[in-house]
Each structure stands twice: as structure tokens, then as C-alpha cells.
Amino acid sequence: GDFLWKGYQPVHSEASIRYEHRLLGWLATRELSFATPAPVLARSGDTLARQNDGLHALFPFIPGGPVNYAKLANMEHTGAALAELQVVLADYSTEPRPDMAGFYQLQETHSAISDPFRLQPTSLGLPTAEPFASLLAWWREEVAALQAFLDGPFLGLPRQVIHGDFVPSNTLHAGGRLTGIVDFEFA
């Protein structure tokens, strides 16, 4: 068959990549109308190979090409596939992914924003002049309101794993159907 040899950039830790591989292996055992990339086990039973230039993994090739945004059917298939994927992911363990914050952890939003509640123009290397001062004052108000929601009603909502980076460009299409969903590195 045809395969892809993926080299991982040092963006995610090995533990985070292994989480992704467990998720992808689990998805491969579920009935879906499209493929997801399932890492191939080596003879050692591992899905990761350590090379001089970092970590790598082997995946079966998923046929298809990029989405054609001009074709309404492609966009309809993309929406339907996301709905199908979310239903299946509802059954996956909500164990936290190593080295990745949940959307509810505002202080972990981005490494450049260590304290979103006190964000000032100088925190981002911006001048203290307008419009930056007003925009970041608005930001602080919004973050405070969001934190109040997170500390209250949000806690009662159901939780589930999500794709985390679902955009039409992370889908593959061929023969008038969606053939695959890829790029689970932020699930």
C-alpha cells in the first residue's frame, strides 16, 4: 500500500504525540464514513520512531485532495463529517492531553500571554498609546466576564474531546465525497 512518513516538529512533547496516537488508534476502531490517520505499529509495538532528526511515524495514505470551497457539496460533506466525528469523540476519555491546556484555562491561552487578566500594551511590546490601551482595557473586561462564566455555568456543561483544529483544509475529498479528516495535533 501507500504510506506517509511523518516527521514531528518539536512543537509538542512526546507525551502529547503519544496521546494523539492513542486517540487516532481508538478512532480507527470506530465506524466512520471517512478515514482518520491511524499510526502503523512497528515490530516493537510502538507507533513512534526516534531518528537523528526527531520523532517520526508511519501512516497509511488516505486518498483524496483538498476541499474545493466553491463546491457547495464539499462544504456540506465537511459539516456532516464534523458532526459525525463529534458524536464519536463523545465516547473518548476526557483525560487531559499532556502539555495542552483546555479552553477553560485562560491563563494558559498562549505562551506570549502569561496573565490575560492584567494584559497591558507593554506586555505585548506595544506602545501605551491609543488604540492599544482602550482595546486591551476591553480585553480585560471580556476576560473577566468569561472567567465568571467558566467559574459558574461552564462547570456544569458536559465535556468531550474535540478535534481542536477543525477547518475545511483539514479534510480530504475525492469522487464527490469526503474521504478523510486529518491533523489531530490539537485534539
Side-chain angles (χ1 to χ4, degrees):
D2 293 327
F3 295 87
L4 278 167
W5 181 244
K6 178 178 180 174
Y8 288 91
Q9 300 296 318
V11 174
H12 298 293
S13 68
E14 182 175 336
S16 182
I17 295 168
R18 289 189 182 284
Y19 172 97
E20 178 184 353
H21 282 206
R22 284 191 304 277
L23 171 63
L24 292 171
W26 180 84
L27 279 172
T29 67
R30 300 301 181 259
E31 282 191 40
L32 293 165
S33 65
F34 50 84
T36 56
V40 176
L41 289 173
R43 286 186 201 120
S44 66
D46 200 352
T47 59
L48 282 175
R50 193 173 311 280
Q51 304 288 310
N52 290 338
D53 61 344
L55 296 172
H56 296 265
L58 186 67
F59 293 90
F61 180 78
I62 300 172
V67 65
N68 181 342
Y69 290 92
K71 287 189 174 182
L72 182 58
N74 278 1
M75 300 313 296
E76 289 173 348
H77 296 151
T78 298
L82 175 59
E84 183 181 347
L85 178 64
Q86 289 308 113
V87 168
V88 169
L89 285 174
D91 291 334
Y92 193 70
S93 167
T94 57
E95 130 198 22
R97 183 174 184 151
D99 304 320
M100 191 172 288
F103 290 118
Y104 59 92
Q105 295 169 295
L106 298 179
Q107 69 280 8
E108 304 289 329
T109 299
H110 192 278
S111 59
I113 304 174
S114 60
D115 188 355
F117 304 97
R118 292 182 189 75
L119 194 59
Q120 298 290 330
T122 54
S123 308
L124 300 173
L126 299 169
T128 55
E130 292 302 329
F132 306 114
S134 297
L135 285 171
L136 290 176
W138 169 83
W139 163 273
R140 291 187 301 274
E141 290 171 12
E142 291 297 312
V143 168
L146 181 56
Q147 188 63 57
F149 170 75
L150 294 174
D151 291 339
F154 179 79
L155 294 175
L157 295 174
R159 299 202 180 200
Q160 80 167 69
V161 172
I162 62 171
H163 182 279
D165 188 24
F166 191 88
V167 292
S169 61
N170 283 334
T171 61
L172 299 169
H173 300 259
R177 68 180 202 91
L178 186 138
T179 58
I181 296 178
V182 298
D183 195 6
F184 284 78
E185 69 178 300
F186 292 105

